[in-house]
């Protein structure tokens, strides 16, 4: 059973943990490193003959169109991460509609391929924004991978199912992976947890989760996580700095090992995604 590797293409200054220190109007003033770091990821995946799903921020795609075309030409799935990386709870319905439609159109114009998948910035689906699912379906998305079914201060939908499911309107949702231990859901899908846990523990949790769920595990990573030399953001809280900077120097060697230890594939190739595409 192949596991799903997904890459969220955004730069270090665009993460939600730094949204107070790095407001959107200041983004052009930062030194962008996303192209270089994405190149490292693409080379690693090519070396292991792995195709994955890239959830790409429209803001990045507009500035690095050649990079987006390179990702698509390598056989990876192009999916949407929205345009401006604003958490959904900070947007009005009209703003969200514009964000997801502009990102989808831009990516499709660049690649000539239909964009079927969407991932919310910082997994920010919540019960407070029930219009999210209808807007995605109306915009032409076929599936979402926006749920991290754990409690968290910035994201999380702790009562959501751990396996793929359909929202009431028929939109397919593919949660990222969690492992259940002693009645608790343990996040083990990637991101900061991939850098925080010792690698043998992360691997064990992912293996156990796959068996529990009888479903492919979904892993995610950001290009900036391979970049220990990235500029430091001043004024962020200790918690935010810890989450963002811990073990950045260990990400690349751990990722090399992870790519060897499991079989990987694209989200769009899952049978349930194919079924959802055929239904709509």
């Amino acid at each position: 059973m192949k596991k799903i590797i997904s890459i969220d293409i955004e730069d270090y200054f665009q993460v939600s943990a730094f949204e107070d220190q790095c407001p959107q109007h200041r983004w052009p003033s930062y030194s962008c490193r996303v192209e270089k770091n994405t190149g490292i990821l693409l080379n690693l995946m090519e070396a292991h003959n792995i195709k994955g799903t890239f959830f790409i921020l429209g803001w990045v795609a507009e500035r690095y169109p050649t990079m987006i075309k390179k990702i698509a030409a390598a056989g990876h799935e192009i999916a949407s991460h929205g345009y401006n990386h604003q958490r959904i709870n900070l947007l009005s319905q009209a703003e969200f509609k514009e964000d997801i439609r502009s990102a989808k159109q831009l990516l499709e114009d660049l690649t000539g391929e239909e964009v079927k998948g969407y991932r919310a910035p910082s997994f920010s689906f919540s019960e407070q924004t029930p219009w999210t699912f209808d807007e995605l379906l109306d915009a032409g998305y076929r599936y979402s991978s926006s749920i991290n079914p754990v409690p968290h201060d910035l994201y999380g939908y702790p009562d959501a199912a751990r396996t793929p499911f359909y929202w009431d309107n028929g939109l397919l949702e593919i949660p990222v992976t969690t492992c259940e231990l002693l009645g608790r859901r343990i996040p083990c899908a990637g991101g900061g947890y991939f850098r925080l846990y010792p690698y043998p523990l992360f691997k064990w949790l992912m293996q156990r989760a796959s068996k529990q769920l009888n479903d492919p595990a979904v892993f995610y990573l950001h290009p900036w996580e391979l970049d220990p030399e990235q500029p430091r953001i001043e004024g962020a809280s200790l918690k935010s700095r810890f989450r963002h900077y811990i073990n950045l120097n260990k990400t690349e060697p751990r990722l090399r090992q992870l790519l060897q230890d499991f079989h990987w594939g694209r989200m769009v190739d899952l049978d349930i995604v194919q079924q959802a595409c055929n239904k709509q």
Side-chain angles (χ1 to χ4, degrees):
M1 184 182 295
K2 283 188 176 180
K3 291 170 174 54
I4 304 303
I5 182 165
S6 58
I7 310 298
D8 294 355
I9 300 293
E10 63 198 56
D11 220 330
Y12 65 97
F13 52 84
Q14 296 172 316
V15 301
S16 294
F18 295 153
E19 62 190 9
D20 290 336
Q21 290 74 36
C22 306
Q24 187 180 344
H25 70 270
R26 290 181 54 194
W27 287 358
S29 68
Y30 291 97
S31 171
C32 288
R33 301 169 70 89
V34 67
E35 188 174 32
K36 170 181 174 290
N37 295 326
T38 300
I40 295 172
L41 273 169
L42 289 172
N43 289 339
L44 283 173
M45 295 173 75
E46 181 181 13
H48 291 85
N49 194 28
I50 289 170
K51 310 299 182 188
T53 295
F54 282 65
F55 291 97
I56 299 171
L57 203 65
W59 190 95
V60 172
E62 188 173 48
R63 286 157 179 79
Y64 298 98
T66 301
M67 180 181 76
I68 308 310
K69 294 176 182 179
K70 183 177 180 180
I71 294 170
H76 302 292
E77 178 188 6
I78 301 295
S80 169
H81 201 29
Y83 192 89
N84 285 317
H85 207 268
Q86 293 174 289
R87 284 184 288 142
I88 296 173
N89 60 300
L90 301 179
L91 297 175
S92 68
Q93 184 172 351
E95 290 170 332
F96 178 71
K97 178 178 180 177
E98 172 60 25
D99 183 271
I100 61 173
R101 287 173 180 260
S102 60
K104 189 175 192 294
Q105 187 64 59
L106 173 60
L107 293 170
E108 290 177 342
D109 288 346
L110 287 172
T111 64
E113 300 177 5
E114 180 187 2
V115 170
K116 300 174 180 177
Y118 170 80
R119 174 168 288 160
S122 301
F123 301 105
S124 53
F125 270 14
S126 74
E127 295 171 339
Q128 284 68 51
T129 54
W131 36 261
T132 306
F133 322 119
D134 289 336
E135 291 295 348
L136 285 169
L137 207 59
D138 289 346
Y141 289 96
R142 309 303 182 95
Y143 74 88
S144 162
S145 181
S146 301
I147 291 291
N148 198 336
V150 296
H152 193 278
D153 57 342
L154 287 179
Y155 60 76
Y157 210 119
D159 297 326
R162 297 169 60 213
T163 54
F165 64 92
Y166 287 93
W167 296 101
D168 290 343
N169 71 341
L171 180 71
L172 174 64
E173 182 66 41
I174 304 174
V176 296
T177 298
T178 56
C179 182
E180 193 165 274
L181 289 176
L182 302 176
R184 296 186 60 186
R185 293 181 179 185
I186 308 299
C188 60
Y193 301 104
F194 183 57
R195 293 179 281 116
L196 177 63
Y197 301 154
Y199 180 76
L201 173 61
F202 185 88
K203 178 182 175 181
W204 180 82
L205 287 169
M206 182 167 280
Q207 289 172 320
R208 183 178 176 88
S210 292
K211 292 178 180 178
Q212 288 177 346
L213 302 172
N214 192 30
D215 214 59
V218 177
F219 174 78
Y220 72 95
L221 193 78
H222 307 87
W224 56 261
E225 293 184 89
L226 282 77
D227 186 6
E229 303 303 320
Q230 64 187 263
R232 270 27 183 186
I233 302 299
E234 297 182 1
S237 69
L238 180 62
K239 180 169 67 174
S240 293
R241 295 199 305 273
F242 175 80
R243 286 173 172 171
H244 189 89
Y245 297 121
I246 187 170
N247 291 337
L248 290 177
N249 62 319
K250 296 181 179 180
T251 307
E252 185 172 341
R254 288 182 178 182
L255 181 60
R256 290 179 184 274
Q257 188 63 51
L258 190 76
L259 296 180
Q260 293 176 14
D261 286 345
F262 297 107
H263 297 290
W264 298 97
R266 309 185 307 170
M267 202 166 288
V268 73
D269 295 326
L270 290 173
D271 288 344
I272 193 169
V273 174
Q274 294 294 313
Q275 293 165 13
C277 292
N278 293 333
K279 283 172 56 178
Q280 297 177 29

